[in-house]
Amino acid sequence: MNPYPPIAEHGMVGDLQTAALVSCEGTVDWWCSPRFDSPSLFASLLDSERGGHCRLAVDLGEDATTVRQLYLPDTAILLTRFMAPGGVGEVADFMVPVESPVATDRHSLVRVVRVVRGSLPFAFACRPRFDYARAPHTLTRPNDHSAVLHGPGTDLHVRTTGDVALRSDGDDVAARFTLSAGQAVAIVLTTTDSDGIAPPEPSLDDVVEQMERCRVFWMSWLRSCTYRGRWQDVVNRSAITLKLLTYAPSGAPVAAATMGLPEQIGGERNWDYRYTWIRDASLSVRALIDLGFEEEAYAFRRWLRDRIEAGGSASGDPLQIMYRVDGEPHLTEEILDHLEGYRGSRPVRAGNAAADQLQLDIYGEAADALIVGRDIGALRGWKALNGVLDWLCDHWDRRDEGIWETRGGRQNFTYSRLMTWVAFDRGIRAALYASRPADLERWTAARDAVFRQIVERGWHEKRQAFVQHFDTDVVDASLLLMPRVGFVSAHDRDWLSTLDAMDHDLVSDSLVYRYDPAASPDGLRGSEGTFNLCSFFYVEALARSGRLDQARYAFDKMLTYANHVDLFAEEIGPSGEQLGNFPQAFTHLALVTAAMALDEELTRQATTPGAEHLHPAFHHIARTAPRAD
């Protein structure tokens, strides 16, 4: 068994309060419960020896078995298939969605193994390591088919039940068994509250009924999707992924299911992404509504309004950049020195110190989420936004850490100014449209001052481009959003020259870097891969700017970097490998918006055909190919 399978060689299952990653080898090597941001139960992805795992796989050795993984279509039921000389078997992993809005400590990960051809031996092992592998556990055995692995003190416990005889393995449990064609068994891992009590052991019929409930839930939920474009399958998978990463009791999405996965193997850029970023979640609102998932969009808007009303940010400002899923603002960062990190990538961080940073762009994203089109939301939401904009009038002209959470000191970031312009613009439009009380004179003066500052100081005459901040000539991929937010036309000369500068400095074979750390130091050692979010934003910007062949080519190439079940991590490394936390919601959000923009522009092109151009795939060849003569 590979101690550290590639990040991309995983699928995800979840129940809308927590999620688990299952490797292509049949190993659950990441699961936190009872919430996304709880301490881990299984974390062998961050330390193969100490982290803990649950393995269920054919027991013949890697060389004798071919493994394939897929989702049941349009569901979050994950199948891992084992093909060996003796037969074919498969493990179905799923979690039944918890449809109640009430948070619970009880979550069940169901693993159903069956053989469809021949006869195969299987091995099972459940080795949880509580509290990020810092806390010991004890084992009790109610009977031969179940075990309770007791966490520390009165904290969470894991109960394992199944149709196979379990044997004790120290304080863990394991089993070996053989199945023939047509036979199946189920093993259920249930996290329970302090008394360790779990529901009665389920029969195989019970488990099959649960699987059908899970399938029906996802199929029914997906019927709300209004997207009928050219990339139906990948958009559906991205929509399901965004739903899986949303904490149902509060409506708050997390940035990713994991923590500590590196942006560079062996590097220090290893962050905890199991929290709700105002920016990421706010930008998802438009995509969710455009896809037809209005309930999810409005649930987050309620959560966002509650954060503004609650106050209590670490800085004392109206908002901070991220929160826990329940709205708790304190995300103290700690180093888990006892974990070696994915393939030795240290340090492993839990919590996120960036929560204390000043990032002024979040007010624009929040305003854009609270005011969707002409929908200004509830009266309470307007009152909350009104107060934020009044505050922003006095505080927008400040240096901050910027969208990428750099740790190299504050700057006058152009993107931060852009989004404060968005905040004032959306507020003014909504107040005029809905006749809401507002200090329009003050807001308008602030909006216009921000606009002037961007065009005068954010524009670099020599580069003929908008740049990262006012004291540099470096371009930044965050500014790919300038046309989308309405600051500039996608066909404006200054925007097109900015896009050309990004093409030159940040784009590598259609993949896009956020910025160049060598030219614009960010206070961290090492480098990082291209950023998937930016690569999809680049596709959207190309499409809106009329560079449609280039946009489609870039989009199609990006899809080749998806993993076997169409999931994306945060970044793409030098060899095409996926890096960073996985799967990342922001990436899947950007995929959706890129697909919708491409569909719209391709449809428009089909009705208004233009001149033919050399396809982007041939540009480099045309420039570099040697003469045949």
Side-chain angles (χ1 to χ4, degrees):
M1 185 175 70
N2 187 348
Y4 291 106
I7 291 169
E9 290 191 5
H10 291 84
M12 178 175 66
V13 297
D15 65 2
L16 311 184
Q17 294 190 18
T18 183
L21 297 188
V22 184
S23 77
C24 288
E25 297 171 343
T27 300
V28 180
D29 53 19
W30 182 258
W31 188 23
C32 300
S33 190
R35 301 190 329 194
F36 296 107
D37 57 355
S38 298
S40 61
L41 298 172
F42 302 129
S44 58
L45 199 57
L46 295 178
D47 193 310
S48 61
E49 294 295 324
R50 301 181 186 88
H53 66 269
C54 176
R55 185 168 185 263
L56 179 56
V58 167
D59 191 21
L60 287 175
E62 292 181 35
D63 294 338
T65 308
T66 299
V67 185
R68 296 288 185 269
Q69 200 172 58
L70 71 156
Y71 281 109
L72 286 185
D74 292 340
T75 77
I77 299 172
L78 186 68
L79 297 183
T80 306
R81 310 193 76 230
F82 301 89
M83 289 160 275
V88 177
E90 60 188 27
V91 175
D93 286 292
F94 68 94
M95 300 177 74
V96 179
V98 181
E99 298 183 62
S100 168
V102 178
T104 176
D105 287 340
R106 181 163 293 161
H107 301 274
S108 291
L109 172 58
V110 184
R111 316 201 70 187
V112 182
V113 57
R114 68 169 184 153
V115 170
V116 296
R117 282 182 169 182
S119 178
L120 290 173
F122 288 86
F124 169 77
C126 181
R127 309 184 189 283
R129 298 294 181 263
F130 293 84
D131 189 27
Y132 303 118
R134 292 183 294 195
H137 66 275
T138 58
L139 174 69
T140 59
R141 299 293 311 277
N143 54 57
D144 290 342
H145 295 270
S146 65
V148 180
L149 299 105
H150 300 269
T154 60
D155 291 340
L156 221 57
H157 309 295
V158 176
R159 183 177 181 118
T160 303
T161 60
D163 298 328
V164 298
L166 300 173
R167 59 180 173 81
S168 300
D169 182 11
D171 288 328
D172 302 320
V173 290
R176 279 188 166 82
F177 55 93
T178 299
L179 298 177
S180 299
Q183 292 183 316
V185 299
I187 299 175
V188 182
L189 277 60
T190 304
T191 62
T192 65
D193 53 18
S194 59
D195 59 12
I197 297 173
E201 296 176 22
S203 67
L204 186 58
D205 288 341
D206 293 332
V207 169
V208 170
E209 188 274 333
Q210 290 177 17
M211 186 184 295
E212 178 62 10
R213 278 174 46 211
C214 184
R215 186 189 73 85
V216 169
F217 171 88
W218 287 108
M219 297 287 285
S220 299
W221 178 79
L222 207 54
R223 289 194 192 102
S224 297
C225 183
T226 56
Y227 178 81
R228 298 293 182 269
R230 296 164 176 81
W231 294 278
Q232 188 78 57
D233 288 343
V234 293
V235 168
N236 282 356
R237 180 54 51 198
S238 289
I240 290 172
T241 302
L242 291 171
K243 178 71 169 176
L244 280 170
L245 292 173
T246 300
Y247 185 65
S250 67
V254 296
T258 60
M259 53 172 263
L261 294 182
E263 297 175 14
Q264 178 187 28
I265 301 300
E268 68 168 335
R269 299 167 186 256
N270 318 312
W271 314 111
D272 191 344
Y273 275 12
R274 300 169 302 150
Y275 307 114
T276 300
W277 267 253
I278 295 294
R279 174 187 311 111
D280 303 31
S282 295
L283 288 172
S284 73
V285 167
R286 168 57 66 187
L288 289 169
I289 289 177
D290 287 346
L291 286 175
F293 298 115
E294 295 189 358
E295 180 180 337
E296 286 74 14
Y298 292 137
F300 171 71
R301 291 170 73 187
R302 289 191 296 270
W303 182 90
L304 177 57
R305 180 199 67 206
D306 291 344
R307 300 288 70 72
I308 296 173
E309 291 182 341
S313 66
S315 65
D317 295 342
L319 286 172
Q320 64 185 46
I321 68 169
M322 72 181 89
Y323 299 82
R324 294 187 181 274
V325 290
D326 61 357
E328 166 62 43
H330 300 291
L331 282 71
T332 303
E333 186 175 298
E334 61 177 323
I335 304 298
L336 304 180
D337 285 327
H338 63 290
L339 297 179
E340 72 169 6
Y342 178 82
R343 291 174 57 187
S345 301
R346 280 182 164 139
V348 176
R349 296 179 175 91
N352 200 313
D356 297 334
Q357 289 188 353
L358 175 66
Q359 296 179 24
L360 290 168
D361 67 279
I362 64 174
Y363 296 100
E365 288 120 3
D368 205 36
L370 290 170
I371 302 168
V372 180
R374 292 186 170 182
D375 178 8
I376 66 169
L379 291 175
R380 284 177 55 197
W382 177 256
K383 181 179 179 182
L385 180 61
N386 201 317
V388 167
L389 293 181
D390 285 341
W391 175 89
L392 194 59
C393 285
D394 295 325
H395 295 85
W396 66 265
D397 194 9
R398 290 190 287 171
R399 296 173 180 264
D400 67 354
E401 274 88 3
I403 179 176
W404 305 129
E405 297 164 12
T406 59
R407 301 191 178 192
R410 294 181 176 181
Q411 299 286 352
N412 287 306
F413 285 104
T414 306
Y415 180 79
S416 297
R417 295 296 194 273
L418 171 70
M419 297 311 293
T420 56
W421 177 88
V422 168
F424 291 124
D425 176 75
R426 302 306 190 261
I428 292 166
R429 290 171 182 257
L432 291 172
Y433 169 75
S435 300
R436 292 290 189 256
D439 193 344
L440 288 175
E441 183 177 354
R442 190 174 180 224
W443 293 3
T444 301
R447 180 200 63 186
D448 294 348
V450 177
F451 181 90
R452 285 191 295 270
Q453 197 177 90
I454 293 172
V455 298
E456 292 170 6
R457 301 182 64 191
W459 173 260
H460 196 281
E461 189 64 28
K462 184 176 181 181
R463 291 300 312 271
Q464 286 292 291
F466 289 101
V467 290
Q468 184 183 60
H469 61 78
F470 297 167
D471 300 313
T472 187
D473 63 356
V474 173
V475 292
D476 190 294
S478 63
L479 297 178
L480 286 165
L481 290 180
M482 292 184 88
R484 186 207 277 190
V485 300
F487 185 85
V488 65
S489 164
H491 298 276
D492 185 280
R493 182 184 63 183
D494 290 346
W495 165 246
L496 293 176
S497 64
T498 299
L499 190 55
D500 289 338
M502 292 184 187
D503 277 334
H504 182 271
D505 290 8
L506 302 179
V507 180
S508 172
D509 191 35
S510 300
L511 299 174
V512 181
Y513 291 93
R514 295 187 289 182
Y515 55 93
D516 180 0
S520 181
D522 56 12
L524 296 166
R525 296 188 303 274
S527 62
E528 59 181 23
T530 55
F531 212 66
N532 293 332
L533 165 76
C534 298
S535 297
F536 283 120
F537 280 170
Y538 176 63
V539 169
E540 181 181 358
L542 289 172
R544 298 302 189 193
S545 299
R547 303 177 180 183
L548 203 49
D549 287 345
Q550 190 180 354
R552 182 159 190 177
Y553 185 49
F555 188 71
D556 287 343
K557 285 207 285 189
M558 268 304 296
L559 295 184
T560 68
Y561 292 103
N563 80 344
H564 56 288
V565 287
D566 288 331
L567 298 182
F568 283 93
E570 184 179 20
E571 299 185 5
I572 302 297
S575 302
E577 72 276 22
Q578 295 208 35
L579 295 173
N581 286 303
F582 177 89
Q584 197 199 37
F586 219 170
T587 298
H588 286 276
L589 152 70
L591 184 157
V592 168
T593 59
M596 289 191 291
L598 259 180
D599 273 314
E600 184 178 329
E601 297 300 330
L602 286 168
T603 300
R604 181 179 293 118
Q605 182 194 57
T607 59
T608 55
E612 294 184 2
H613 303 282
L614 182 66
H615 190 276
F618 306 126
H619 286 173
H620 181 71
I621 297 173
R623 289 196 306 269
T624 62
R627 290 173 58 92
D629 57 358

